[in-house]
Amino acid sequence: MAITQPGGPLRPIEVAIADPEPGWVSVRVSAGGVCGADLGTAGAAKPAGGFPITPGHEISGVIDTIGAAVNGWQPGDRVAVGWSGGSCGHCHPCRTGDQVHCRQRRIPGLSYPGGWADTVTVPVDALARIPDSLSEADAAPMGCAGVTTFTAIRDAGLPPGSRVAVYGLGGLGHLAVQFAARMGHEVVAIARGTGRKHDSASFGAHHYLDATAPDPGRALARLGGVDLILCTAPASEPISTLLDGLRLRGRLTLIGIDGGAVKIPVARLVMNAQTVTGHLTGTPADIEDTMRFATAHDVRPRLERLPLDQADLAVRRLRDGQARYRLVLEP
């Protein structure tokens, strides 16, 4: 499914399949997740690689063909590929295990045709092995939404029993609530309105706050404050007020972004030893960690599954706010 002109719809096209180059593999796609970042890919007016554009950076499937110089992988292996779709391997971030921040990183859908297709060809260093007990449909969102939320909570280094607030209960947030709860934390879910209160409890949240009520940060403070606020919603406006809910040495981690700015009272950060930080995603090794944790602790994305040829409908549903949790396209 590709966009062939600026502002055009996604439509099916046929592309010749070539043997993978050395260090690359061809994957028969089982599921392709639909992520908020795909909206930018689909809406690009002047893509770096030109048209057509095939989006999709949450991919699961089965290796079909391997190129030369590929070791450790065989046709038939079940694999996932995420936003971190390859790196140079020799820069300082790569050499220190931080391939996500490689300046020459590859992103499926941007650096090469993405996963909204019958097959996709990817660098071997982008592959993550899917555990036997995880379905390929559930594995696809783990390559971006899953690994991003899992590593953001894990890397905060909180002891079990800490209190974690998740701002936003959509495609990212519903996974963040599950991961935080399964890690042994007391979880506060914050979302607009009260319509998702029941869902938040089913995901493992212990408290629910309406983000449209005045001062959600002070509401967190009345609960006793939190050690981590994970902002998954692409809305920068409420972030400053959420700081009122942080405990001493608390951390606010930004995942969802909208291009806005955040006004931060510096004195409060200094006096309370608090941290505001951003978090991008995880490496293929992190994706494997995420999937293993998910299988061990029964964390699953809540999916709406559509056939691949309805990719344009999926993008419209996501853009219009009609996709509640996670969409996947299946060839």
Side-chain angles (χ1 to χ4, degrees), residues 37-170:
D38 290 317
L39 298 182
T41 305
K46 295 181 179 179
F51 291 98
I53 302 170
T54 298
H57 62 269
E58 291 185 341
I59 307 165
S60 68
V62 178
I63 293 178
D64 191 35
T65 310
I66 62 174
V70 171
N71 298 310
W73 302 92
Q74 298 294 332
D77 288 347
R78 298 195 316 141
V79 295
V81 179
W83 190 91
S84 183
S87 57
C88 75
H90 56 76
C91 68
H92 181 72
C94 286
R95 285 167 58 84
T96 55
D98 193 15
Q99 297 94 326
V100 166
H101 293 101
C102 171
R103 296 302 181 189
Q104 300 178 55
R105 63 188 175 223
R106 300 184 181 103
I107 303 168
L110 294 175
S111 307
Y112 50 83
W116 296 357
D118 293 317
T119 64
V120 62
T121 302
V122 303
V124 67
D125 62 335
L127 299 177
R129 200 176 299 276
I130 300 175
D132 291 341
S133 54
L134 188 66
S135 75
E136 286 154 29
D138 286 337
M142 295 299 175
C144 182
V147 69
T148 302
T149 51
F150 173 78
T151 53
I153 300 166
R154 181 196 66 185
D155 294 353
L158 301 175
S162 300
R163 186 177 289 157
V164 174
V166 177
Y167 184 82
L169 197 63

Side-chain angles (χ1 to χ4, degrees), residues 36-37 172 231-236 239 254-260 262 277-280:
L172 289 163
C231 293
T232 68
S236 55
I239 291 171
L254 303 172
I255 294 177
I257 54 175
D258 62 357
V262 179
T277 186
H279 184 79
L280 187 55

Side-chain angles (χ1 to χ4, degrees), residues 167-218:
Y167 184 82
L169 197 63
L172 289 163
H174 85 291
L175 286 167
V177 168
Q178 293 181 71
F179 283 128
R182 305 306 193 275
M183 289 180 192
H185 301 312
E186 181 182 349
V187 183
V188 184
I190 308 172
R192 296 181 63 83
T194 58
R196 301 195 184 189
K197 184 176 182 179
H198 175 76
D199 281 358
S200 75
S202 71
F203 297 136
H206 303 84
H207 310 276
Y208 183 87
L209 297 178
D210 180 358
T212 64
D215 283 324
R218 292 188 180 181

Side-chain angles (χ1 to χ4, degrees), residues 1 13-14 17 26-30 54 60 62 114-120 308 330-331:
M1 298 299 295
I13 64 172
E14 292 189 356
I17 299 176
S26 175
V27 176
R28 187 170 66 255
V29 177
S30 300
T54 298
S60 68
V62 178
W116 296 357
D118 293 317
T119 64
V120 62
L308 176 63
E330 298 177 313

